Amino acid sequence: MCAVCALTVSAQRASSSRFFSTNQAEKPVTIGIRTGGNLSTFTGDGTDNLKSRFGFNVGVNVDYSIIESFGIQTGLYFTTKGAKNEYVEDYSYGYISGKETANPMYLQIPVLASYRYNINDNLRWEFNAGPYFAFGVGGKLKDEWTVTTIDRHNSTIEAYEDEEDFFDDGINSFDMGIALGTGLTVNKFYFGIQYEIGMTNIYDSSDYSMKNSNFTFNIGYNF
């Protein structure tokens, strides 16, 4: 809300700016660096009890301005996604409690159509939308649990841990989806948010469907 108010005031002062300018951009190609945090989870079958997990992303952004008010954004990012699940299972001898954490890592290429509004010479507001293509390069599926055994006299607790590669047999290493975002460029500094909606089933099976969902917040610098 504060950003919108500030932009409104700036827009009123910048009387010469237009919402859609077909003028040629002064700098057609801009390269920048980006980094930030992720808040990711899975959607689909059996995901009602999943919790989001924090991750990160870092990469290079390439911005091609076709005209002042429209361009294409792409680049290459290293990003982490996934989710976590906490569970408790009761048995006649006691109970089992644990936590599963999925941490897939991707190299991701966005191809976004970008509308940008030049509020003044030092402030630009942009809206981006388009597909992304991601390729799994690593990550783990980790399960940590404890077994609590209760009898008449005492109780015992035993801890266990299991870890395996996330992109194992039956897991799709290719991901594709739609990204929607907005951002501000102040001088050469960038601040933005984006939501990624996965369209590809993580499991290599038509019987079970699970997809990535990721919210990112980024800062960056344009050269």
Side-chain angles (χ1 to χ4, degrees):
M1 291 177 65
C2 292
V4 171
C5 292
L7 290 171
T8 303
V9 172
S10 297
Q12 291 173 349
R13 293 176 179 175
S15 58
S16 61
S17 64
R18 293 183 296 175
F19 281 103
F20 195 85
S21 172
T22 57
N23 295 335
Q24 194 72 23
E26 294 182 3
K27 190 176 181 181
V29 179
T30 301
I31 297 176
I33 55 174
R34 301 283 187 268
T35 187
N38 297 345
L39 187 62
S40 62
T41 188
F42 297 132
T43 61
D45 298 334
T47 61
D48 293 342
N49 296 324
L50 292 184
K51 296 182 179 181
S52 301
R53 68 174 298 273
F54 286 100
F56 70 95
N57 67 86
V58 61
V60 177
N61 184 76
V62 180
D63 186 299
Y64 176 66
S65 295
I66 301 173
I67 56 177
E68 277 192 355
S69 293
F70 182 77
I72 301 295
Q73 287 192 8
T74 184
L76 179 63
Y77 291 80
F78 177 82
T79 183
T80 64
K81 300 185 181 182
K84 59 184 180 181
N85 177 42
E86 297 178 356
Y87 60 90
V88 176
E89 300 174 356
D90 293 322
Y91 294 93
S92 58
Y93 58 81
Y95 62 91
I96 297 176
S97 61
K99 180 176 71 173
E100 296 175 310
T101 304
N103 180 34
M105 304 175 184
Y106 294 89
L107 285 178
Q108 186 162 301
I109 301 173
V111 184
L112 310 178
S114 179
Y115 163 77
R116 55 283 305 270
Y117 174 47
N118 294 316
I119 298 169
N120 56 43
D121 293 339
N122 300 316
L123 185 61
R124 187 179 82 174
W125 193 2
E126 64 184 48
F127 297 89
N128 308 315
Y132 71 83
F133 306 91
F135 306 88
V137 294
K140 298 293 183 180
L141 181 61
K142 188 175 183 180
D143 190 5
E144 301 171 283
W145 72 96
T146 59
V147 178
T148 302
T149 303
I150 302 173
D151 58 29
R152 294 181 180 179
H153 306 290
N154 56 22
S155 63
T156 59
I157 300 177
E158 297 179 338
Y160 300 89
E161 181 177 311
D162 182 51
E163 187 175 84
E164 59 186 45
D165 292 335
F166 182 85
F167 295 106
D168 208 344
D169 293 338
I171 301 297
N172 199 344
S173 61
F174 174 75
D175 185 34
M176 168 184 174
I178 300 296
L180 305 169
T182 184
L184 286 173
T185 300
V186 183
N187 292 322
K188 292 187 176 183
F189 293 94
Y190 175 81
F191 307 89
I193 57 175
Q194 181 171 273
Y195 180 57
E196 299 167 358
I197 309 167
M199 308 295 289
T200 303
N201 188 7
I202 294 174
Y203 289 94
D204 192 14
S205 170
S206 58
D207 298 329
Y208 195 79
S209 178
M210 185 179 290
K211 300 174 182 178
N212 280 308
S213 175
N214 190 32
F215 178 80
T216 72
F217 43 95
N218 285 72
I219 59 173
Y221 183 83
N222 296 325
F223 295 100

